Amino acid sequence: AQSVTQLGSHVSVSEGALVLLRCNYSSSVPPYLFWYVQYPNQGLQLLLKYTSAATLVKGINGFEAEFKKSETSFHLTKPSAHMSDAAEYFCAVTPGAGRRALTFGSGTRLQVQP
Amino acid sequence: GAGVSQSPSNKVTEKGKDVELRCDPISGHTALYWYRQSLGQGLEFLIYFQGNSAPDKSGLPSDRFSAERTGGSVSTLTIQRTQQEDSAVYLCASSERGQGAGGGELFFGEGSRLTVL
């Protein structure tokens, strides 16, 4: 079975500061990993995904994440936060093979202070 | 429409009543998922339909919950004899192919917010 743990249900940063949202996964087989973002009163949308190609994955809106097998991590970063980045972020995992639905983490709410 | 459509967007019901939530996936998407989003709990997987295969029902929390997908398109999630703990946002998503086939992107609807009084 696969699972993800997101450390920190709330993260607050200043505008222009580095954003770091943490995600650790557990999977018995090579995983596919995803980050989704949910803006207020909207559905989730895909930020980026790792599917066993490059370990550093670039997504939309300047976000990127690095797959580190040795640390079983897939942390999300952005060099400089913008007010519009305020949202809830979800890490998700699925086995790389087989027909299984995504397992999501509990989410991290990002606040950006002016 | 171009995206995943869910109805109703809001539903208030009394404890013990049955409710039906509808999901219209993106045309041509073979995979359809239902998730439940409760406050502070993240997204909880409920059920997954992939083409004509038997659905993965492993996430349904009790036998009061059921879902069907007619004609490989529209899906209905039914909750019988609702309880207060069923209050949540129910999210539907679809993808062009299943997650096992290259990690297809999920496209989510805006959800149906259920409140059980």
Side-chain angles (χ1 to χ4, degrees):
Chain A
Q2 69 274 17
S3 66
V4 288
T5 302
Q6 292 185 241
L7 293 175
S9 58
H10 288 83
V11 170
S12 182
V13 300
S14 298
E15 192 173 18
L18 171 72
V19 175
L20 171 61
L21 305 181
R22 298 177 185 276
C23 172
N24 287 88
Y25 70 90
S26 170
S27 179
S28 57
V29 297
Y32 290 167
L33 292 156
F34 304 77
W35 276 99
Y36 279 80
V37 60
Q38 186 178 33
Y39 297 104
N41 300 315
Q42 294 186 25
L44 281 74
Q45 55 184 279
L46 181 68
L47 263 182
L48 50 81
K49 65 180 181 183
Y50 166 76
T51 56
S52 76
T55 56
L56 181 63
V57 181
K58 294 188 184 297
I60 61 172
N61 301 336
F63 284 92
E64 62 182 38
E66 186 172 8
F67 173 70
K68 291 187 177 179
K69 184 177 178 181
S70 61
E71 299 177 8
T72 61
S73 69
F74 191 58
H75 301 331
L76 182 71
T77 60
K78 181 174 179 177
S80 177
H82 193 273
M83 297 295 290
S84 61
D85 295 327
E88 187 147 24
Y89 292 79
F90 294 91
C91 183
V93 65
T94 192
R99 299 185 304 110
R100 298 294 302 276
L102 288 181
T103 298
F104 284 84
S106 55
T108 298
R109 185 166 297 279
L110 176 67
Q111 279 186 312
V112 182
Q113 308 288 348
Chain B
V4 177
S5 178
Q6 292 188 246
S7 61
S9 54
N10 274 287
K11 176 72 176 180
V12 180
T13 191
E14 294 179 349
K15 178 181 171 181
K17 301 277 190 183
D18 297 352
V19 296
E20 285 189 351
L21 307 176
R22 176 188 167 106
C23 173
D24 239 307
I26 292 172
S27 177
H29 280 192
T30 62
L32 186 148
Y33 312 75
W34 284 98
Y35 286 87
R36 178 166 70 175
Q37 185 176 23
S38 305
L39 196 61
Q41 305 259 340
L43 273 73
E44 175 189 7
F45 165 69
L46 297 177
I47 188 168
Y48 163 38
F49 297 89
Q50 172 58 50
N52 295 321
S53 302
D56 177 356
K57 303 179 182 180
S58 60
L60 294 178
S62 77
D63 59 8
R64 296 187 295 104
F65 287 72
S66 63
E68 62 178 20
R69 188 178 185 192
T70 53
S73 181
V74 172
S75 177
T76 302
L77 176 69
T78 301
I79 309 173
Q80 296 179 307
R81 305 181 303 281
T82 52
Q83 304 294 312
Q84 289 181 331
E85 61 262 28
D86 299 335
S87 296
V89 177
Y90 289 82
L91 292 170
C92 176
S94 69
S95 69
E96 199 171 22
R97 56 190 189 280
Q99 289 303 299
E105 178 178 354
L106 264 61
F107 293 83
F108 282 83
E110 294 187 357
S112 292
R113 181 177 297 277
L114 175 64
T115 303
V116 182
L117 302 177

